[in-house]
Amino acid sequence: MAKQTKIVYTIKERCRVCYTCVRECPAKAIKIINGQAEVLDERCITCGNCIKVCSQDAKVFRIDTGDVLEIIENNEQVIAMVAPSFPAEFENIDYKVLAGMIRQLGFSQVVEVSFGADLIALQYKKLLHDTENQSKISSDCPAIVTFIEYYHPNLVPYLAPIVSPMVAMGRVLRKKFGNQIKVVFIGPCIAKKDESSEIDVAITFRELRELFELKGINPENTVPCDFDPPHSGKGAVFPISRGLLQTMEMEEDILEGNIIVAEGRSAFQEAIKEFESGYIKDNHLELLCCEGCIMGPGMSPYPYFASNARRYQKRSNVSKYAAVKLENLDKEQWKKDIEEYSKLDFSRTFTPSDRSMLRPSWKEIESVLQHMGKFSEKDYLDCAACGYESCVDHAVAIINGLAENEMCLPFTIEKLHNYIRELNISNEKLDNAQEALKQSEKLASLGQLSAGIAHELNNPLGVITMYSNILKDEMHDNKIIQDDLQLIVDQADRCKKIVGGLLNFARKNQVNFTELDLNKLIQHSVSSVIIPSNVNVEIKFLKDDPMAMADRDQMTQVFSNLIKNSIDAMPDGGNLSIEMQSKGSDVIFNIIDTGTGISKDNLGKLFTPFFTTKPIGKGTGLGLAIIYGIVKMHKGDVTVSSNADPNAGPTGTTFKIRLPRHRIE
Ligand code: SF4
Ligand code: SF4
């Protein structure tokens, strides 16, 4: 597998897109792409904040243990330099045992970086003395240095031109042993991996534990030994809060406010902002990305520790070790070493490389905000759920291609609500369409049955009518028999009408298409029905073309029957609206009453022949079946919606007819 080149990256399968890392990233170096939080190498300052906050372990750093093993195998003199935060990591391992374990990995020497911290502290002390009343920013945290080079390049001249303790120690070792040696740094910081080409490999304490495990090294199979010289003095407290200042013995300056210490993501950014804005002047800024190096991302997370060791316990472990160290320090030798190595050059330079986000115009920002449903300031919630401090910051990141609209929680929730609403409407439409299909299949088979019955009855009824009329003529001198025969003729006629209705329902009758004015047709249908005085009729006629091809008599029958039904449904009076409107090549008729409504149980049976809710003798139950048949013969549709429950809203029924304007052959 190819070696990972990025120092910090995302294991995509683990990322749950919670935006926590986006929120915690001071460099805004995390881009949400296809629903995953990807680290942009060119923006990342390798602070490791994202690694510390990701509960899914989706953010990880590059493991360089392979490089360490390779370097040990291929070189004679490989020196390990251990960061002074080691007592915070290996609290249950005596420092001599730890030095022995590291040596067992194959290192020729194991030294402490804290001697480099002693040397650097002196450099800072001199700098502060020489440049009194001039603002300076410490450069011992590599993530801070990169942050300033990338995002505040105008502040680069304020960075103290002094190398970090790690690089200083590297220079000491090369002076002592020559340039052919290889140097491996071991510490809590991942930004060290990319800090300087003077260090061959930099690994974290976590990686050191991996190496121990790989090589089967543990305290029990190790011969303890001390760290190799040169030994450090107060540099041992460097990794804890204000460590550099304690190393410099400059507590007074802190009390006088000449030195400002800011540690952790929010604090260091605030200090830089204030410094840049000129609110803090003539001060030295001691900035750390983490809350002390003991909280670096390369420290093992709990539960590696035997107890719930956290920040203060780690501090205490470092302080205790430093105290022991100072107690046993050969001060004369230390002074000699300091004198010897402080002659080395510990200067460095910086490379400004502006990577700040483009600041778009307000118009562009406003347009992005509006796209997320934010039209005025009251819509700018600044809830930070997206990972950005404000809605405007989020919009700027979107314009810079670093973020997506969907990261805005209220916007996404609203979008989801809309989807759900649309889905519900689609489901309802689907249900209605399924119901309509079931209904029309049922009515189609009933139509077939009705057509068969009607056809079989038509001929005998014709014979009955014909012979009854012949007999009636022959019995002209017998009034009683004539009356009886007339009764037979009347009832046979009634049966023929029923048969005609069935044929209409079964769509087996002829349609006589002629050009009709639909406005007039409706007016005529209304006037053919007796409207009670307590029923108010309102008609919305077609405003555009009123003409259509239809069978005048059949359509008059349809509308007259529907109007009669509506009036029957409003025994106590009400409103009857007939609304007509054009829709494409169709005309839609809505016949709406405010009557008693039709129960849900009956709604599905309405168009079934002989179904009626009227008392026996008050209706054949063919009216709506005939309407259904006629509309279908015109290639249209008829549907009904109704509410019979006053608790569910106003009662009433709407019949909707869709009628194509032109005849379809
Ligand atoms: S913190 Fe970042 S990497 Fe981790 S799950 Fe959340 S979005 Fe993904
Ligand atoms: S390491 Fe720091 S700068 Fe890089 S992506 Fe993570 S939080 Fe951002």
Side-chain angles (χ1 to χ4, degrees):
M1 203 168 65
K3 190 174 185 317
Q4 178 63 241
T5 50
K6 287 180 170 188
I7 293 182
V8 180
Y9 59 99
T10 310
I11 297 181
K12 291 187 176 162
E13 307 72 50
R14 291 187 194 160
C15 176
R16 306 289 297 274
V17 209
C18 63
Y19 309 140
T20 307
C21 57
V22 177
R23 196 171 306 123
E24 293 296 319
C25 175
K28 293 301 165 224
I30 297 171
K31 180 175 177 173
I32 302 296
I33 308 171
N34 302 328
Q36 263 146 5
E38 193 172 299
V39 176
L40 299 174
D41 210 24
E42 66 281 9
R43 292 188 64 82
C44 178
I45 61 166
T46 54
C47 65
N49 268 329
C50 54
I51 297 168
K52 289 194 274 186
V53 296
C54 179
S55 62
Q56 303 303 307
D57 291 331
K59 283 276 183 288
V60 290
F61 60 81
R62 191 183 68 207
I63 299 296
D64 292 321
T65 47
D67 289 3
V68 174
L69 294 176
E70 202 179 307
I71 231 170
I72 291 173
E73 199 180 313
N74 297 327
N75 293 278
E76 258 183 33
Q77 206 174 4
V78 184
I79 302 176
M81 52 161 88
V82 184
S85 45
F86 79 85
E89 168 77 17
F90 298 98
E91 67 158 1
N92 290 331
I93 302 179
D94 179 78
Y95 74 95
K96 287 187 180 171
V97 175
L98 181 70
M101 287 168 76
I102 297 172
R103 200 181 294 271
Q104 261 205 80
L105 284 168
F107 289 104
S108 52
Q109 309 248 340
V110 184
V111 299
E112 287 182 273
V113 173
S114 45
F115 181 71
D118 284 342
L119 289 166
I120 288 314
L122 289 173
Q123 296 288 318
Y124 270 94
K125 206 167 178 177
K126 186 169 178 311
L127 180 78
L128 261 61
H129 182 265
D130 294 351
T131 58
E132 209 178 345
N133 300 331
Q134 283 179 31
S135 303
K136 280 280 165 261
I137 303 172
S138 59
S139 58
D140 37 317
C141 172
I144 293 284
V145 171
T146 313
F147 186 78
I148 288 175
E149 286 177 330
Y150 286 3
Y151 304 111
H152 298 271
N154 55 318
L155 299 185
V156 163
Y158 296 95
L159 282 169
I162 300 172
V163 295
S164 69
M166 173 188 81
V167 175
M169 196 58 194
R171 290 185 187 177
V172 168
L173 293 175
R174 290 195 202 280
K175 161 98 175 120
K176 191 170 176 186
F177 300 105
N179 280 337
Q180 78 291 348
I181 60 159
K182 298 287 176 193
V183 179
V184 173
F185 169 84
I186 304 167
C189 177
I190 57 167
K192 293 282 182 203
K193 286 180 181 282
D194 210 19
E195 184 187 333
S196 169
S197 56
E198 294 177 41
I199 304 301
D200 295 293
V201 189
I203 59 165
T204 62
F205 290 135
R206 289 201 213 181
E207 289 165 279
L208 180 62
R209 285 187 187 272
E210 281 183 25
L211 282 172
F212 287 154
E213 204 170 312
L214 188 75
K215 295 287 175 186
I217 298 170
N218 55 52
E220 288 69 43
N221 61 17
T222 298
V223 180
C225 63
D226 204 345
F227 287 112
D228 291 296
H231 293 292
S232 66
K234 276 198 159 185
V237 292
F238 184 80
I240 55 176
S241 173
R242 297 177 176 181
L244 179 63
L245 305 165
Q246 285 185 43
T247 318
M248 288 192 277
E249 292 174 331
M250 296 195 70
E251 289 295 321
E252 271 175 30
D253 288 294
I254 301 176
L255 293 176
E256 285 171 15
N258 293 337
I259 296 178
I260 291 171
V261 180
E263 300 167 340
R265 179 186 71 91
S266 307
F268 91 74
Q269 287 185 93
E270 267 171 45
I272 287 178
K273 264 190 215 158
E274 287 190 32
F275 187 82
E276 198 167 37
S277 316
Y279 295 128
I280 41 180
K281 289 182 190 146
D282 311 333
N283 292 98
H284 175 85
L285 288 194
E286 170 65 19
L287 306 180
L288 289 179
C289 230
C290 303
E291 288 162 329
C293 298
I294 50 169
M295 301 306 286
M299 302 287 290
S300 300
Y302 177 79
Y304 263 124
F305 297 97
S307 61
N308 265 2
R310 287 289 183 263
R311 187 178 174 202
Y312 298 103
Q313 186 168 354
K314 289 176 184 173
R315 277 182 60 117
S316 150
N317 291 343
V318 171
S319 301
K320 277 185 201 156
Y321 171 73
V324 173
K325 194 111 195 137
L326 283 172
E327 213 176 287
N328 299 324
L329 182 68
D330 177 346
K331 290 203 175 66
E332 285 313 306
Q333 183 58 45
W334 179 78
K335 273 185 197 160
K336 262 196 224 160
D337 289 341
I338 289 288
E339 207 178 310
E340 181 183 351
Y341 293 111
S342 50
K343 290 179 198 131
L344 285 172
D345 177 12
F346 293 119
S347 66
R348 64 164 296 182
T349 53
F350 304 97
T351 317
S353 169
D354 194 355
R355 297 176 194 194
S356 329
M357 280 193 220
L358 290 176
R359 191 74 200 177
S361 68
W362 176 245
K363 211 171 157 199
E364 284 174 278
I365 295 173
E366 208 173 30
S367 138
V368 171
L369 288 168
Q370 283 173 2
H371 196 68
M372 289 189 283
K374 299 171 196 304
F375 296 95
S376 67
E377 274 192 31
K378 75 172 173 31
D379 300 324
Y380 305 168
L381 303 184
D382 295 344
C383 63
C386 57
Y388 290 87
E389 271 175 30
S390 68
C391 297
V392 170
D393 284 356
H394 182 201
V396 171
I398 291 173
I399 296 167
N400 276 274
L402 295 177
E404 294 175 338
N405 290 346
E406 286 68 24
M407 291 163 75
C408 172
L409 203 58
F411 169 74
T412 303
I413 289 174
E414 182 57 33
K415 213 165 144 185
L416 279 177
H417 279 158
N418 286 342
Y419 280 143
I420 291 169
R421 261 195 297 273
E422 278 166 23
L423 206 63
N424 284 342
I425 292 171
S426 302
N427 280 344
E428 205 180 310
K429 277 188 187 161
L430 198 67
D431 283 353
N432 290 344
Q434 271 176 338
E435 190 50 40
L437 190 68
K438 251 172 38 194
Q439 187 69 2
S440 78
E441 278 171 0
K442 192 179 95 186
L443 291 176
S445 60
L446 264 177
Q448 251 178 347
L449 180 72
S450 306
I453 294 170
H455 186 74
E456 290 304 316
L457 287 181
N458 233 357
N459 288 344
L461 279 174
V463 172
I464 291 169
T465 308
M466 188 176 78
Y467 280 98
S468 300
N469 277 323
I470 292 170
L471 282 173
K472 208 176 91 187
D473 287 347
E474 284 173 2
M475 292 293 161
H476 54 86
D477 51 353
N478 189 335
K479 179 84 173 78
I480 295 169
I481 292 181
Q482 237 187 0
D483 286 350
D484 288 348
L485 286 167
Q486 184 57 47
L487 195 64
I488 293 171
V489 170
D490 289 349
Q491 291 306 312
D493 279 348
R494 193 169 155 243
C495 289
K496 280 198 106 176
K497 275 189 193 143
I498 293 172
V499 166
L502 282 177
L503 286 172
N504 264 336
F505 166 70
R507 299 176 235 168
K508 294 290 180 196
N509 267 342
Q510 290 292 316
V511 179
N512 183 17
F513 280 102
T514 52
E515 196 173 29
L516 294 182
D517 181 326
L518 295 174
N519 285 343
K520 283 186 185 158
L521 178 85
I522 288 294
Q523 207 149 30
H524 174 68
S525 304
V526 172
S527 59
S528 68
V529 178
I530 298 165
I531 311 282
S533 57
N534 58 0
V535 171
N536 176 41
V537 179
E538 195 189 343
I539 307 172
K540 284 187 188 157
F541 290 109
L542 285 171
K543 290 205 177 76
D544 52 0
D545 179 16
M547 305 309 286
M549 299 292 287
D551 185 308
R552 181 185 305 278
D553 292 339
Q554 287 179 0
M555 289 316 294
T556 306
Q557 191 182 359
V558 165
F559 290 115
S560 311
N561 272 350
L562 286 178
I563 293 165
K564 268 190 221 149
N565 281 353
S566 293
I567 288 168
D568 288 349
M570 297 186 286
D572 301 325
N575 292 324
L576 168 65
S577 312
I578 302 169
E579 295 172 359
M580 303 160 73
Q581 67 184 97
S582 293
K583 196 170 179 192
S585 57
D586 298 333
V587 178
I588 308 294
F589 300 81
N590 279 305
I591 295 98
I592 308 160
D593 69 54
T594 56
T596 48
I598 303 161
S599 72
K600 277 190 183 146
D601 287 349
N602 289 339
L603 218 49
K605 307 173 203 158
L606 277 191
F607 298 112
T608 308
F610 305 114
F611 173 78
T612 180
T613 54
K614 291 178 182 164
I616 295 168
K618 285 279 174 189
T620 56
L622 273 177
L624 285 172
I626 290 170
I627 288 170
Y628 177 85
I630 292 174
V631 174
K632 284 288 174 193
M633 282 191 287
H634 283 75
K635 312 281 185 205
D637 298 313
V638 53
T639 52
V640 57
S641 57
S642 187
N643 175 36
D645 177 7
N647 296 325
T651 59
T653 302
T654 299
F655 279 92
K656 180 176 177 176
I657 290 175
R658 181 188 63 81
L659 190 70
R661 277 184 194 270
H662 304 291
R663 182 176 176 184
I664 302 162
E665 291 296 345

